[in-house]
Amino acid sequence: MTGNNEWFKPVAAAALARFDSVMDILGLAGGKNAGREYLPLNPKRDDHTPGSFSIHRDKGAWMEGATGDKGGDLISLAAYLWDCGNGEAAERLSQHLGVDVPARQPRARRAEKAAGDTPAPLTPEKPAGEPRTPNAGADDGVCVMPVPADAPTAPALHPKYGKPAARWVYVDPSGAVMFHHCRFEPAGERKQFAPLSLWRMASGRMVWKWKAPSEPRPLLGLDRLASLPAAPVVVVEGEKAHDAAALLLPDVAVVTWQGGCNAVDKSDWLPLAGRVVWLWADADEAGAKAMQKIEKRLQEVGATEVQRVNLGALARVASDVDGKPELTPGEPLAAGEDAADLIARGWQAAHLALLIDADELLSHATGNTPAAIEAAIVENDAAAVKDHSPRRGFRLDDRGIWFVDVKDGVQAAPRWISSPVDILAFVRDEHSAGWGLWVGFEDPDGKPHKEIIPARTFNGEGLEASGLLFDRGLKIAPRGRPLLIEYLQTASPKKRARVTNRTGWHDSDDGGAFVLPDRAFGRGGEEWIFESDSPDGNTYRQKGTLAEWKERVARLCVGNSRLVFAVSMAFAAPLLHLVGAESGGFHLRSHSSDGKTMALRVAASVCGSEKYMQRWRATSNGLEALAMQYCDAPLLLDELAQLDAREAGEVAYMLANGSGKARAGRTGVMRARSYWRLLFLSSGEIGLAQHMAEVGKQSRAGQELRLAEIPADAGKGLGLFENLHESASGAEFAKVIDHATRKHYGSAWVAWLKRLVSEPTASISSDVHAGVRAFERQFLTDGASGQARRVAGRFALVGVAGELATQWGMTGWTAGEAVKGVGACFTAWLANRGGEGNHEERVMLRQIREFLSRYGESAFTDWERPSMTDTHAPVRSDRAGWRKHDSATDQVHYFVSYDAWRARVCKGHDPIAMARLLLAHGFAERGTEANRPWLIRASVPGEGRPRVVHILPEIMEADDD
């Protein structure tokens, strides 16, 4: 029981006895039941999925799992939702429930445990708005329209459906708010509508309720109607059609009513008295009948003239020729289409004006006598009956899909075939192939599912399609499977969506979009759906706010170059596509417990929780799937040593080159390759070259350039860290970061993507390229090799991304912090690499020196001891050439036979390139052959004049590192 107040007990008991009414009072109606637990959406936070917020029906105990808030009864729940004390919450509940409780006095002292009495509530002030239903019951209250100035703020979220997709405000002629009407598009369900009106309770308190206002209800558009007293009035069905018609007919007053076809008689049509009215029906039978009812109401209130919009005249194709509107013959409106569909087809006000000028938009006047109206209704009703002859088909309601058969002209009783399945959209891939249906339904546990059923699964008897639905928990009648397949195959939803198995940027006819597993960001109107077979395909999660992440995570990165680099790298990944940059990776290498994994954790917090970070422990095929899942996003891979060393080099190439293996299908035809754009950050105790060397493989320069190796130790004696902020040690600082990244993550990624899609791509690209050039000027000399510049461009992109995120208010850093940190990492990479020179050339020279050092004694015959007179057996039989000692300089010259040069000395490299390299550095004697200047004819005692490569002693003295 809340507190120790005895007078709370009857209120808490009454609240439990009327649990559902209390849920309505608290704005929690519409939740789900799981046993005796009631699961509503929490209106105090951005809650979209039931489950975290639970209330026990029998005990009243409640808990919000997302925040840790909890209480023992419904009084404490009311106090939590109303942001007040328990005493005030109990009083307000007692007034709602009609429970008499003794007045209580304020507590005399803080230490006293027993609560005193509280004075009776003051008499409420007279409301500013007049009640619409004076005789309303005490429980329902009295609807107040217009909304007075002292009314509470209307709720932004629906307790069941969350944030509205659209909201329309009904006002009176002066513009004062009367009530709201909201449309919701819950995932996996049909669109929902809910009016929101203000009610004054018996206690005098005003509350907003998700219910229709009292009758008669005002029309939408009364303010516009009052401002155009002489203009015609167009009546349309639905708020969306109202907005579209207002665009198409800017010189008329457009109105509609709340509640749809069945609410015509509940609306107030009196404001249309004495006006010329055009009725624009939806292109279906229900729309026609609704307008017939409205026509009768208009006659009753005294409309001057009533005409119909000629829907047949709208069977046109709207276009512009030389800047002028043009209409050409087209298809009739599809069933249910209205003004909003004309907008979607490209119609503008100028096109409708052509029909008005040609006197084609309106059909004949209906006449102004009740008899004429009744005759029209009877005639249309007769036609409707004729059109409604029994027919075979399907029906969907909250209980499921029903099949209605017709035998001998008689309609049979509906037959249940499955639990409800909503047809959400037709789907296809970005190449308009791979068509299918996107459907939504709930499993037996009440968990919503949204699944794509590929059209190919309907082949034969559709067993593959029904098997997929069975596997996801859809309940199907024993003999209902064939009928369910027929229902799905004959569905024809208007909505279209694109499906992809790759995250990141996608282009389509109506604009680009950035696709994540659970949402898409972009300017295009078409929905994108991510489809993956991975059970944990969505690691892009959010917890906490952007402000909290900036304070608890990003702030700690300041002064720590590796952490600043990791965060900036995450922001840089989506820029690859926008600026046309190539994919690539970075590798943090250090000893165990230096904190390198913490850098990956910090980078992961930009996009999601610690589960966002992946491991190298995978096959090349598995990493290919990961690359698709993290395209245009940071891929974070821990512990390089867990990757098979035999595959390490090829995997580095694959990830950085942005494409998977070419594979053949079952018919032998090559299947489509997987493509991606990727920035990846790796960590490990060993580098790529060392890992490959464990299995006798030599890394190539291209592989190491694609995975730029950065020493994780920042050189300050603190491992990865340089600035511990308020912590006393590196271990303590690591714990602080670990705790922060577990509580605050993902918000920066959403904010970053929203900003990227809102900015012009050309502007972003220009700013990034300018920043990259500035970075290269700052950290490279004019003599830098192309390889160094290539990797510098990747580091620069990371630095510029961090600066751009800072400029847009997403890091809380000062300007220059990102470039400073990334520049420190680039400098460390240069030092670890050996400078700005060409890496492949250093590797080649190093290989020649190593060969001469290892085999200089065993594989080379002394020049002074020719084989024809030398009786000393060589250590090895596979001679590589001759060794000549220059006594004057005490240096050794090597003469390598051309066969040994190609097969042994240059193994793994181009022998011609290596020979040219020696000449360029002055490490070989230049011969006289034009095409092969690295070869000379050496007069070897006793062995003639073989062609050899004469390697000079200077090669052993030079230091190319």
Side-chain angles (χ1 to χ4, degrees):
M1 181 63 61
T2 301
N4 296 320
N5 299 312
E6 290 298 317
W7 75 276
F8 282 5
K9 292 182 179 180
V11 179
L16 271 181
R18 299 175 61 182
F19 184 93
D20 291 329
S21 297
V22 172
M23 293 303 102
D24 186 48
I25 293 169
L26 298 179
L28 302 179
K32 294 186 176 182
N33 293 301
R36 300 306 296 164
E37 293 287 338
Y38 180 72
L39 308 176
L41 297 178
N42 189 345
K44 295 198 68 174
R45 64 181 183 86
D46 190 13
D47 193 5
H48 300 288
T49 305
S52 174
F53 191 34
S54 63
I55 309 164
H56 199 282
R57 281 184 168 273
D58 300 329
K59 301 177 181 179
W62 61 275
M63 183 177 71
E64 172 52 76
T67 62
D69 294 301
K70 59 183 178 181
D73 56 23
L74 298 183
I75 294 176
S76 63
L77 175 62
Y80 165 74
L81 293 172
W82 290 338
D83 293 318
C84 63
N86 291 324
E88 180 181 347
E91 288 179 359
R92 290 168 63 174
L93 280 177
S94 68
Q95 295 167 11
H96 281 290
L97 300 173
V99 178
D100 292 328
V101 296
R104 64 189 185 97
Q105 298 295 330
R107 297 185 181 188
R109 294 186 305 273
R110 181 179 180 89
E112 293 182 7
K113 298 296 184 179
D117 296 331
T118 298
L122 299 175
T123 303
E125 297 179 3
K126 184 177 180 179
E130 289 299 323
R132 302 280 291 194
T133 310
N135 59 347
D139 285 346
D140 292 333
V142 177
C143 185
V144 180
M145 292 191 291
V147 175
D150 61 342
T153 303
L157 301 176
H158 189 279
K160 180 177 180 181
Y161 302 120
K163 184 178 180 180
R167 180 189 293 257
W168 290 273
V169 180
Y170 282 66
V171 299
D172 68 7
S174 67
V177 176
M178 303 293 276
F179 70 97
H180 301 254
H181 188 69
C182 301
R183 185 181 79 227
F184 302 89
E185 297 177 356
E189 301 181 29
R190 295 186 296 271
K191 62 183 179 181
Q192 304 289 336
F193 294 90
L196 177 63
S197 52
L198 183 68
W199 296 76
R200 187 180 297 279
M201 311 310 292
S203 64
R205 188 173 63 88
M206 290 182 287
V207 296
W208 287 93
K209 295 188 177 185
W210 290 99
K211 61 186 294 185
S214 300
E215 302 171 17
R217 303 169 188 167
L219 301 175
L220 178 64
L222 292 180
D223 53 341
R224 176 76 171 167
L225 182 71
S227 67
L228 298 172
V233 183
V234 175
V235 181
V236 296
E237 180 184 346
E239 290 81 4
K240 187 177 179 181
H242 167 275
D243 294 348
L247 295 175
L248 294 172
L249 295 166
D251 298 325
V252 305
V254 181
V255 300
T256 191
W257 72 101
Q258 186 276 327
C261 300
N262 296 325
V264 169
D265 294 332
K266 299 178 181 180
S267 300
D268 183 5
W269 299 99
L270 189 60
L272 303 191
R275 303 295 291 259
V276 174
V277 182
W278 303 347
L279 302 179
W280 189 339
D282 287 359
D284 55 20
E285 179 190 334
K289 295 194 71 174
M291 291 304 168
Q292 290 165 9
K293 292 181 181 179
I294 293 173
E295 193 171 4
K296 185 175 181 180
R297 300 287 86 78
L298 294 177
Q299 178 61 32
E300 291 172 353
V301 300
T304 301
E305 183 180 357
V306 181
Q307 293 181 280
R308 302 276 186 99
V309 171
N310 180 14
L311 300 185
L314 303 178
R316 312 286 181 91
V317 176
S319 61
D320 288 308
V321 178
D322 297 329
K324 296 181 179 180
E326 183 173 290
L327 293 174
T328 55
E331 296 294 326
L333 297 182
E337 289 193 329
D338 56 23
D341 296 288
L342 290 186
I343 294 285
R345 292 182 182 181
W347 282 67
Q348 300 177 5
H351 296 110
L352 219 57
L354 293 178
L355 296 180
I356 295 175
D357 294 341
D359 199 22
E360 296 181 20
L361 180 63
L362 302 176
S363 59
H364 65 280
T366 61
N368 54 7
T369 64
I373 296 174
E374 292 293 347
I377 294 177
V378 170
E379 180 182 351
N380 284 293
D381 284 346
V385 171
K386 194 171 185 180
D387 291 339
H388 274 75
S389 57
R391 63 183 65 182
R392 181 181 184 276
F394 297 92
R395 191 180 75 212
L396 175 67
D397 60 24
D398 293 339
R399 294 178 296 166
I401 302 173
W402 303 80
F403 171 65
V404 180
D405 201 0
V406 175
K407 295 182 179 179
D408 301 326
V410 178
Q411 192 175 73
R415 171 185 165 191
W416 184 84
I417 61 174
S418 80
S419 50
V421 178
D422 288 316
I423 310 298
L424 305 177
F426 272 135
V427 299
R428 69 276 195 228
D429 64 24
E430 53 192 317
H431 306 295
S432 291
W435 281 79
L437 277 180
W438 190 29
V439 302
F441 56 90
E442 290 185 353
D443 62 21
D445 291 335
K447 181 180 178 181
H449 290 264
K450 289 197 289 187
E451 301 291 339
I452 293 173
I453 306 177
R456 55 177 170 75
T457 62
F458 293 120
N459 283 339
E461 297 180 356
L463 294 175
E464 188 177 352
S466 59
L468 185 152
L469 296 172
F470 270 126
D471 182 67
R472 300 299 189 271
L474 183 70
K475 293 189 290 186
I476 305 176
R479 289 184 292 177
R481 188 191 58 77
L483 291 170
L484 175 61
I485 296 300
E486 181 183 346
Y487 168 77
L488 295 172
Q489 281 191 277
T490 56
S492 183
K494 292 182 182 180
K495 189 174 180 180
R496 298 288 191 272
R498 297 279 180 184
V499 64
T500 180
N501 63 346
R502 174 175 61 83
T503 61
W505 295 105
H506 290 74
D507 295 322
S508 61
D509 295 338
D510 62 346
F514 193 101
V515 179
L516 292 179
D518 61 345
R519 71 184 89 178
F521 302 87
R523 304 182 185 91
E526 192 167 43
E527 187 164 4
W528 282 84
I529 305 166
F530 177 79
E531 182 183 32
S532 172
D533 294 331
S534 173
D536 56 347
N538 185 13
T539 57
Y540 300 85
R541 302 293 186 183
Q542 283 181 257
K543 187 175 183 180
T545 65
L546 176 60
E548 292 170 337
W549 179 83
K550 288 162 56 178
E551 173 61 25
R552 306 294 174 80
V553 180
R555 183 181 65 84
L556 300 180
C557 298
V558 174
N560 291 288
S561 59
R562 273 56 174 176
L563 299 184
V564 168
F565 175 86
V567 170
S568 300
M569 196 281 299
F571 285 124
L575 299 181
L576 292 176
H577 172 66
L578 299 181
V579 304
E582 64 177 3
S583 299
F586 306 92
H587 179 67
L588 291 171
R589 177 188 54 80
S590 73
H591 301 297
S592 177
S593 302
D594 271 356
K596 54 188 176 297
T597 300
M598 190 55 63
L600 271 64
R601 289 283 300 277
V602 170
S605 74
V606 175
C607 305
S609 68
E610 70 273 12
K611 294 181 180 179
Y612 185 90
M613 187 172 67
Q614 303 297 314
R615 301 291 186 273
W616 274 112
R617 187 176 177 82
T619 63
S620 59
N621 289 343
L623 289 170
E624 185 176 326
L626 271 181
M628 295 287 285
Q629 188 174 321
Y630 291 92
C631 177
D632 290 323
L635 174 59
L636 309 174
L637 298 166
D638 196 18
E639 294 301 341
L640 177 63
Q642 293 183 345
L643 177 65
D644 189 338
R646 293 168 297 182
E647 293 186 336
E650 297 306 317
V651 166
Y653 267 129
M654 179 189 73
L655 292 179
N657 288 345
S659 65
K661 296 179 181 178
R663 298 178 175 90
R666 63 175 183 268
T667 62
V669 179
M670 190 178 76
R671 294 188 304 190
R673 280 191 181 188
S674 299
Y675 291 95
W676 56 80
R677 289 172 299 270
L678 202 63
L679 272 186
F680 56 101
L681 179 61
S682 164
S683 71
E685 297 178 22
I686 58 176
L688 179 64
Q690 183 181 351
H691 195 35
M692 294 177 65
E694 291 177 353
V695 291
K697 287 194 171 186
Q698 183 178 16
S699 65
R700 300 187 182 276
Q703 293 167 328
E704 295 190 31
L705 290 176
R706 285 166 172 79
L707 187 61
E709 186 174 304
I710 307 170
D713 190 335
K716 299 294 184 181
L718 300 171
L720 183 85
F721 308 127
E722 299 155 85
N723 182 354
L724 300 182
H725 292 267
E726 299 85 7
S727 299
S729 66
E732 180 183 332
F733 185 56
K735 290 181 180 179
V736 171
I737 295 177
D738 177 71
H739 180 72
T741 56
R742 292 179 186 274
K743 295 189 67 176
H744 310 285
Y745 52 78
S747 54
W749 186 244
V750 173
W752 179 244
L753 295 180
K754 287 182 177 179
R755 185 62 185 264
L756 287 179
V757 299
S758 68
E759 294 287 332
T761 301
S763 175
I764 295 176
S765 179
S766 176
D767 291 345
V768 170
H769 283 299
V772 168
R773 290 191 295 270
F775 184 94
E776 292 179 354
R777 288 194 300 270
Q778 182 178 352
F779 292 98
L780 285 177
T781 66
D782 293 339
S785 68
Q787 292 178 345
R789 292 190 178 278
R790 181 179 178 185
V791 178
R794 193 185 316 147
F795 274 92
L797 181 67
V798 173
V800 173
E803 291 297 330
L804 190 59
T806 299
Q807 179 184 333
W808 288 349
M810 296 175 191
T811 65
W813 302 339
T814 58
E817 180 68 30
V819 167
K820 177 184 175 183
V822 175
C825 293
F826 176 68
T827 302
W829 172 78
L830 272 182
N832 182 67
R833 177 179 184 266
E836 299 176 336
N838 188 295
H839 179 74
E840 287 180 320
E841 292 180 357
R842 293 202 310 275
V843 171
M844 290 177 183
L845 293 175
R846 190 180 301 127
Q847 181 168 319
I848 296 172
R849 289 195 193 94
E850 182 181 354
F851 184 88
L852 296 179
S853 298
R854 180 178 295 184
Y855 304 113
E857 292 287 338
S858 62
F860 290 86
T861 302
D862 284 339
W863 188 273
E864 291 81 7
R865 294 167 59 183
S867 58
M868 61 184 300
T869 61
D870 188 11
T871 59
H872 177 70
V875 177
R876 295 185 58 175
S877 60
D878 51 345
R879 186 175 65 180
W882 299 266
R883 180 180 69 247
K884 184 177 182 180
H885 181 263
D886 185 348
S887 58
T889 61
D890 194 25
Q891 293 177 321
V892 178
H893 294 250
Y894 292 93
F895 298 84
V896 184
S897 68
Y898 194 41
D899 288 339
W901 173 260
R902 289 181 299 180
R904 299 174 61 190
V905 179
C906 301
K907 184 178 181 180
H909 295 283
D910 182 358
I912 296 177
M914 290 182 70
R916 292 184 185 277
L917 179 63
L918 288 182
L919 291 176
H921 284 268
F923 295 155
E925 180 183 352
R926 182 176 296 273
T928 58
E929 295 186 30
N931 295 329
R932 294 186 293 181
W934 54 88
L935 293 179
I936 67 167
R937 288 280 189 178
S939 298
V940 181
E943 297 197 38
R945 290 172 52 82
R947 281 188 174 90
V948 296
V949 178
H950 178 196
I951 302 178
L952 301 176
E954 285 77 7
I955 191 174
M956 306 302 290
E957 300 172 358
D959 182 9
D960 54 271
D961 290 334

